[in-house]
Amino acid sequence: MKLAVELIEAANLLPKDSRGASNPFVEIHFNNESQRSQTRHITLDPSWNETFVFSVPDSSLLANLTITASVLHDSGDGRGQFMGQVVLSGSSLGPAVSSSIQWFPLEKRFFFSRVRGELCLRAYYLDEEDELILNTSLKKEPEKSKNDAEEVKTKKQKEPVTRVFQAVAAGGDKKKAAPAPSGKGGAAGPAKPDYNLIETSPSIPALTRERVNSKISSTYDLVEVMQYLFVYVVKARDLPTKDITGFLDPFVEVKLGNYKGITKILEKNNNPVWGQVFAFSQHQTQADTLEVIVKDKDVLLDDIVGRVKVNLTDVPHRTAPDGPIAPLWRWLEYKDGTKLRHGEINFAVWFGTQADEAFPDAWQSDAHDVSYTGLINTRSKVYFSPRLAYLRVSVLQAQDLVPVDKSKPPNATLKVQYGQQSRKTRPGTPSGSVNPTWNEDLLFVACPPFKDQLVITVEDSGQSLGRLLVPLSSVARNDQGKRIPPKWYNLLKPGATIDEVKREERFSSKLHLKITLDTGYHVIEEPVQYSSNFQPASKKIQKSAIGLLELGVLSARNLTGTKAPYCVARYGPKWVRTRTLLNTTTPRWNEQFTWEVFDPCTILTVAVFENCHISDKGSTDKKLGKVRIRISTLQTDKVYTHFYPLFVLQQSGLKKNGEVHLAVRFTCTAWANMLVQYGRPLLPKMHYSQPIAIMLQDQLRSRAIALVTERLGSAEPPLRKEVVDYIIEVPSQMWSMRKSKANFYRVTSIISSLSSIGKWINNILQWKNPFTTLLVHVLFITLVFFPELILPTVFLYLFAIGLYNYQFRPSRPLHLDPRLAQADVANSDELDEEFDTFPTTKNMDLVRMRYDRLRTVWGRIQTVAGDIATQWERFNALLSWRDPRATRLFIIFYLLVAVLVYVTPFQVVALLVGLYILRHPKFRSKSPSPSFNFYKRLPSRSDMLL
């Protein structure tokens, strides 16, 4: 009996070299037999189409055997680096006729193994007839084993059986095989999500250089030019009444083909004024006549007052920034074309583009079935975050406090309240004194126009000893970190009213305070690692702009779970929002926005949402995904056009909600300032001269986000809380298994690059490549006799490495990577733990299981930390006389070395040491060196632990 394994291909493997690729091959093990495939060089999606045949000693034992297919990276040293494995149980195998090609996710060998990708296999057992056919086909055409196996399948059509091919772990637990992506030649199944950017070439003026309309191209050259028919309904006069009441409730219906827009209804008005603009997309309409109909609102059926028809061939074209088209007065007509006795309407009609200044506030045909109230929430708008500042209250001391209970000494504390923020000092020193001292700083986040008063209360055991009201308009601004002298303030009587304050009835107790509005700080509401702004609050010390950032929001495709998408982009204090397009999963926005850039090391954030506030009763807007683009990774004056995948990590797993099409361009206007910016501090000067504690920054950040949310939520249409929170999105400080794995793999990737250097050095020491080793000998001897060349050689080598890596530079912007974040491989339990509330609401058995898992992970980390401490303690033991004999040997040996180095020229010593290290392997011993053995024998404190 034979066992056949067809190795088809692999996909999405983990890169293993500096070029972001690998040299994969597969080793298949079965019953102490091992066979290896060919190596595919420099690829992450290799294809083999090879067949391997193994002998089965006893068919009854097949169910107890396993097949292991290990994917390895050929690094050139004869040893393969592990990239993942697939373990199949013999019990899951069937005959050739019932087998099919399947995709299997690569599994880990150990807990912290770094694995990614899928492997496409087909495995089955062969009877005598199958063996004869397969052996004959392999002799004739070995490279077409896949087609020959299909011939075996057609031979066995007499017994068609559908059998599910499953991958099982070594322990025997079954796992369903991953379905083959479409187009891979496997079984039918959903395609694997594409996590990469897709470069595009849209027909935008910046790429095509079409200057059909130079004015439009110069302003909107990152988006496709879209033609619209604009109708500006201004007003009407002398309208006839239709009801017996003699009143008229007029409104206008603008109709073009199947699309119509309706103005507001003005009650009891024969000379109404509307002032509304309607925009009909040219690619959606096929009519050649525009109708403007004036109607009278009625309970049952609206009455038609009159109408005006406009032939589209007579409509002029307007090019921004030309002046607006003058509206004309037109007589209303009956349906048959005869004019009314009285009644005129004033409106203007023209063809334009999205560059028209009337476009943002116009009713658009994409929102034709939305009410006027819901239409407000579909507008395209620009918002600005408030210019926040830190309010610092330095509490120094108090004087002549009068305690409420004079029989016991006071224990005074100071409570400071500003708006919804409240801070409290510790009890003053010395305890029980009526002249306590605090010397404590309290910080608050203040938002213009600074109308709230600062309320300061001196308390003793919850009872007020006096209070102070300080308006912020009288507070000094500090934007340079200057020394501002403190002031003495008179305390008001407890419970004093505003009238008493105005009559200046003062209490004898005093407070010594320094209150400043520190506008030299940048109020941090975004995480620093993807912040879009580092400018201070004071405009006087802000740096000049170094360039312009232009964003074209072109379109989206394959959006899921939405029919009313819109985009929000944020960079610096400026937020922009595109219009909402209805009833489409492939919206075409074609809107362009511009920002000033003050620091290249900042992040542009673009997010896509579903508008859930079209109707009057709306829930929170649904997030579909976001994109982050780092400005420093963009080449100047280059237009980047890509489809960016949209991901949302939910408790149920990672979900791809489509792709958004963006065009980005960074234009530098001050090269010298931009280059100097790389040497400047990231944050303003006051963050370093008067630093704020990290814990306090986190507290102030939450309040800053609340103030930004409140200000943006008060706009029309509002940017709601869920939108602001998703774009800012401060990372959670709670434990996450997924994030821990991601950070661990980030560390291991850095260590792997260092280990590659170590392997290179080891290859030189082992004379793997004699020519390279001889070159190193020559370089070493040259540097020994000419030490002034050491630093120039190092710097020249760094320059050469950077110049060599230029050919591998990324050609596309960096984006959110679910693989790097381990979001695509996180299991449901890990995500459920990550999205759990604090404190937890899960049952105790689940919490106990997670606690035990956390103990296991941290037990390994604890072991590593102990090993690091052991090595450091051994180093300290060299001179600490914990082992007297070891320390005596060490100091005597280095005394002799000191004498030897003193009497011997340094170049000779360096040459001898270097040649000893670079000696040929024939002169090396396989046992560890004496110095290494000596170090391993040094004592540590590990034997003192309980």
Side-chain angles (χ1 to χ4, degrees):
M1 186 177 182
K2 299 290 185 179
L3 176 70
V5 179
E6 293 184 11
L7 176 62
I8 310 300
E9 58 183 326
N12 192 26
L13 297 180
L14 195 69
K16 286 292 185 179
D17 57 17
S18 60
R19 293 169 292 186
S22 61
N23 304 323
F25 67 93
V26 177
E27 284 187 355
I28 301 178
H29 303 271
F30 176 75
N31 192 29
N32 298 325
E33 289 187 57
S34 178
Q35 298 188 39
R36 169 176 168 165
S37 71
Q38 296 181 358
T39 300
R40 299 292 185 242
H41 294 279
I42 314 177
T43 179
L44 297 179
D45 299 291
S47 178
W48 289 281
N49 291 322
E50 300 180 31
T51 301
F52 305 92
V53 180
F54 299 88
S55 298
V56 182
D58 189 351
S59 59
S60 61
L61 300 177
L62 180 61
N64 299 324
L65 300 176
T66 58
I67 305 170
T68 303
S70 300
V71 183
L72 305 171
H73 166 66
D74 188 355
S75 56
D77 57 358
R79 296 179 299 174
Q81 297 182 20
F82 181 76
M83 301 177 67
Q85 67 181 6
V86 172
V87 182
L88 308 179
S89 173
S91 61
S92 64
L93 303 182
V97 65
S98 63
S99 63
S100 62
I101 297 175
Q102 296 285 342
W103 283 86
F104 300 89
L106 294 178
E107 301 174 355
K108 299 179 179 180
R109 184 190 296 170
F110 305 109
F111 180 79
F112 284 109
S113 296
R114 191 179 183 189
V115 169
R116 190 181 80 189
E118 299 85 25
L119 186 64
C120 185
L121 294 174
R122 180 182 178 220
Y124 48 88
Y125 60 78
L126 304 168
D127 55 22
E128 294 181 359
E129 183 180 358
D130 295 332
E131 291 180 34
L132 179 60
I133 296 174
L134 184 61
N135 291 336
T136 304
S137 63
L138 289 176
K139 289 178 181 179
K140 291 181 178 181
E141 295 181 278
E143 72 279 3
K144 296 184 178 180
S145 59
K146 180 180 176 181
N147 296 332
D148 294 334
E150 291 296 329
E151 293 179 9
V152 176
K153 183 176 180 179
T154 57
K155 280 275 186 178
K156 288 284 188 174
Q157 290 299 326
K158 296 179 180 180
E159 299 177 1
V161 179
T162 303
R163 184 184 181 94
V164 178
F165 189 40
Q166 295 179 334
V168 299
D173 297 332
K174 292 186 177 182
K175 298 179 183 178
K176 287 188 177 180
S182 58
K184 293 286 185 181
K192 296 179 298 182
D194 188 4
Y195 300 147
N196 298 320
L197 301 185
I198 301 176
E199 190 170 0
T200 61
S201 297
S203 57
I204 59 177
L207 295 179
T208 60
R209 301 300 179 187
E210 295 177 356
R211 297 301 178 185
V212 177
N213 192 325
S214 59
K215 293 182 179 179
I216 296 177
S217 300
S218 61
T219 306
Y220 281 78
D221 63 340
L222 292 185
V223 295
E224 298 175 358
V225 177
M226 301 178 67
Q227 297 292 333
Y228 285 88
L229 174 67
F230 291 90
V231 182
Y232 177 33
V233 180
V234 186
K235 56 186 174 180
R237 65 186 179 190
D238 198 21
L239 295 178
T241 59
K242 287 292 188 178
D243 294 340
I244 58 176
T245 58
F247 296 110
L248 186 71
D249 301 331
F251 67 95
V252 175
E253 180 181 287
V254 182
K255 188 175 181 181
L256 181 66
N258 296 327
Y259 295 90
K260 62 179 180 180
I262 300 175
T263 65
K264 294 180 291 185
I265 300 172
L266 303 179
E267 297 180 355
K268 300 179 181 180
N269 195 334
N270 291 68
N271 299 287
V273 177
W274 291 285
Q276 290 182 239
V277 181
F278 300 85
F280 296 89
S281 178
Q282 192 172 15
H283 81 278
Q284 291 180 332
T285 57
Q286 298 178 352
D288 56 0
T289 302
L290 172 72
E291 285 188 274
V292 180
I293 306 171
V294 180
K295 292 186 176 183
D296 176 23
K297 185 64 179 176
D298 209 339
V299 178
L300 298 178
L301 184 63
D302 298 335
D303 299 324
I304 297 179
V305 178
R307 70 183 72 203
V308 175
K309 292 184 178 181
V310 179
N311 195 325
L312 297 186
T313 58
D314 301 329
V315 174
H317 287 261
R318 176 179 178 269
T319 303
D322 290 349
I325 301 294
L328 300 177
W329 285 100
R330 300 172 187 257
W331 282 98
L332 294 176
E333 300 174 349
Y334 292 107
K335 190 174 183 179
D336 57 3
T338 59
K339 294 183 179 180
L340 276 68
R341 287 186 179 180
H342 53 88
E344 297 175 273
I345 184 170
N346 185 253
F347 67 95
V349 185
W350 70 93
F351 282 111
T353 67
Q354 71 266 42
D356 199 297
E357 66 269 12
F359 178 75
D361 293 326
W363 176 95
Q364 295 160 17
S365 57
D366 303 290
H368 63 275
D369 58 349
V370 179
S371 64
Y372 180 77
T373 304
L375 182 65
I376 298 175
N377 292 311
T378 66
R379 304 289 193 191
S380 173
K381 294 293 180 183
V382 177
Y383 309 81
F384 284 90
S385 298
R387 191 161 49 91
L388 304 178
Y390 287 134
L391 175 64
R392 184 187 297 269
V393 180
S394 299
V395 184
L396 303 179
Q397 58 182 333
Q399 193 177 69
D400 300 331
L401 295 180
V402 179
V404 177
D405 187 0
K406 298 183 179 180
S407 61
K408 64 177 184 178
N411 191 17
T413 59
L414 205 70
K415 179 181 178 182
V416 183
Q417 185 168 357
Y418 176 71
Q420 299 180 2
Q421 305 171 73
S422 181
R423 302 280 189 275
K424 197 171 184 179
T425 66
R426 63 181 184 276
T429 57
S431 180
S433 173
V434 295
N435 301 309
T437 301
W438 289 281
N439 290 325
E440 193 171 341
D441 285 354
L442 305 178
L443 283 176
F444 304 85
V445 180
C447 178
F450 307 121
K451 291 184 178 180
D452 292 336
Q453 284 189 328
L454 194 64
V455 181
I456 303 173
T457 308
V458 182
E459 296 180 346
D460 178 19
S461 301
Q463 295 181 330
S464 175
L465 303 183
R467 66 180 183 134
L468 174 65
L469 303 176
V470 181
L472 251 63
S473 58
S474 63
V475 173
R477 268 65 169 172
N478 185 12
D479 54 10
Q480 299 285 353
K482 298 179 180 179
R483 284 186 168 273
I484 296 180
K487 295 182 180 180
W488 285 97
Y489 295 88
N490 294 323
L491 281 177
L492 303 177
K493 294 180 180 179
T497 63
I498 300 298
D499 295 335
E500 292 174 344
V501 174
K502 291 181 179 179
R503 291 197 301 268
E504 297 185 356
E505 293 186 7
R506 302 300 182 189
F507 188 59
S508 59
S509 299
K510 295 180 181 294
L511 276 180
H512 199 202
L513 306 173
K514 183 174 69 173
I515 305 175
T516 57
L517 204 60
D518 291 345
T519 55
Y521 287 102
H522 167 69
V523 178
I524 302 174
E525 80 273 8
E526 298 175 285
V528 177
Q529 59 266 33
Y530 42 83
S531 179
S532 63
N533 182 29
F534 297 111
Q535 291 284 79
S538 175
K539 289 187 175 181
K540 294 189 297 183
I541 60 175
Q542 289 181 356
K543 305 298 182 182
S544 58
I546 62 171
L548 291 177
L549 174 65
E550 296 169 275
L551 170 68
V553 183
L554 300 174
S555 61
R557 67 182 183 185
N558 303 327
L559 296 182
T560 58
T562 179
K563 288 189 176 180
Y566 70 96
C567 283
V568 175
R570 189 262 172 97
Y571 183 75
K574 182 179 177 180
W575 303 61
V576 296
R577 169 180 177 153
T578 67
R579 65 192 189 279
T580 300
L581 302 183
L582 302 183
N583 302 322
T584 178
T585 58
T586 57
R588 296 174 66 245
W589 290 289
N590 285 306
E591 298 185 38
Q592 184 169 337
F593 309 98
T594 304
W595 289 268
E596 284 187 318
V597 178
F598 297 90
D599 193 320
C601 302
T602 45
I603 305 291
L604 167 69
T605 305
V606 183
V608 182
F609 299 89
E610 178 189 7
N611 197 333
C612 298
H613 294 82
I614 301 298
S615 60
D616 294 338
K617 295 181 179 179
S619 58
T620 58
D621 288 352
K622 178 184 175 183
K623 56 188 179 183
L624 301 180
K626 62 183 173 184
V627 176
R628 294 197 194 106
I629 302 174
R630 190 174 183 86
I631 310 304
S632 60
T633 62
L634 304 178
Q635 297 182 27
T636 55
D637 299 321
K638 180 180 178 180
V639 179
Y640 295 85
T641 55
H642 295 86
F643 271 108
Y644 293 81
L646 298 173
F647 301 103
V648 173
L649 184 61
Q650 301 172 339
Q651 193 167 348
S652 57
L654 181 69
K655 182 180 179 183
K656 182 179 179 181
N657 290 320
E659 297 167 319
V660 61
H661 196 189
L662 303 178
V664 184
R665 178 174 59 200
F666 170 59
T667 304
C668 181
T669 58
W671 273 95
N673 290 342
M674 183 181 69
L675 297 179
V676 169
Q677 197 72 28
Y678 279 91
R680 290 175 177 168
L682 198 63
L683 295 170
K685 182 180 177 181
M686 283 191 69
H687 284 271
Y688 306 99
S689 61
Q690 300 180 30
I692 302 174
I694 300 297
M695 296 295 293
L696 183 57
Q697 282 186 14
D698 293 338
Q699 298 176 11
L700 297 174
R701 179 188 284 117
S702 60
R703 184 55 194 164
I705 294 175
L707 290 174
V708 171
T709 303
E710 181 182 354
R711 177 63 61 87
L712 298 178
S714 62
E716 190 67 40
L719 273 184
R720 292 177 170 82
K721 183 179 185 299
E722 62 270 17
V723 176
V724 178
D725 289 346
Y726 183 59
I727 290 182
I728 295 178
E729 194 175 18
V730 178
S732 173
Q733 302 296 326
M734 295 294 104
W735 161 262
S736 169
M737 193 70 173
R738 176 187 64 84
K739 294 180 181 178
S740 300
K741 289 180 180 179
N743 292 327
F744 174 80
Y745 292 140
R746 289 170 61 193
V747 173
T748 55
S749 65
I750 297 174
I751 296 176
S752 64
S753 62
L754 297 177
S755 65
S756 62
I757 299 176
K759 289 180 180 178
W760 179 78
I761 296 175
N762 183 67
N763 291 338
I764 292 175
L765 298 179
Q766 299 296 329
W767 290 68
K768 295 287 186 181
N769 189 338
F771 180 73
T772 304
T773 305
L774 290 175
L775 286 180
V776 172
H777 276 78
V778 173
L779 177 63
F780 172 73
I781 295 172
T782 303
L783 295 179
V784 167
F785 287 99
F786 301 97
E788 65 274 8
L789 297 179
I790 294 178
L791 290 180
T793 302
V794 172
F795 298 146
L796 184 62
Y797 184 67
L798 294 176
F799 169 77
I801 293 176
L803 195 62
Y804 174 77
N805 288 335
Y806 180 77
Q807 58 184 324
F808 306 117
R809 67 192 184 280
S811 60
R812 56 186 62 180
L814 302 177
H815 68 293
L816 298 175
D817 190 352
R819 299 189 186 99
L820 179 64
Q822 298 294 303
D824 58 334
V825 295
N827 59 50
S828 57
D829 182 65
E830 293 174 353
L831 294 176
D832 183 67
E833 179 184 23
E834 182 174 343
F835 285 91
D836 192 11
T837 57
F838 185 83
T840 182
T841 56
K842 304 297 179 181
N843 61 71
M844 290 305 300
D845 292 337
L846 183 59
V847 174
R848 186 179 295 108
M849 183 273 292
R850 291 174 178 172
Y851 173 67
D852 291 340
R853 181 176 62 190
L854 184 63
R855 290 175 62 193
T856 302
V857 174
W858 277 99
R860 297 175 183 176
I861 298 175
Q862 171 183 287
T863 302
V864 174
D867 292 341
I868 295 174
T870 297
Q871 305 307 321
W872 182 249
E873 289 168 355
R874 285 174 176 169
F875 179 77
N876 288 336
L878 289 171
L879 297 173
S880 63
W881 293 90
R882 290 199 60 207
D883 186 341
R885 286 172 292 277
T887 304
R888 189 178 295 112
L889 286 173
F890 179 77
I891 61 175
I892 293 175
F893 174 76
Y894 275 96
L895 175 63
L896 297 176
V897 170
V899 174
L900 180 63
V901 171
Y902 179 76
V903 299
T904 308
F906 176 76
Q907 292 176 333
V908 175
V909 174
L911 182 62
L912 294 176
V913 172
L915 293 177
Y916 175 77
I917 295 175
L918 295 172
R919 68 191 184 278
H920 196 274
K922 291 183 178 180
F923 304 103
R924 297 178 184 272
S925 174
K926 293 184 178 180
S927 60
S929 63
S931 59
F932 181 80
N933 296 332
F934 178 79
Y935 183 78
K936 292 288 288 185
R937 291 176 177 275
L938 292 173
S940 67
R941 295 186 179 183
S942 57
D943 55 345
M944 300 172 61
L945 299 177
L946 294 177

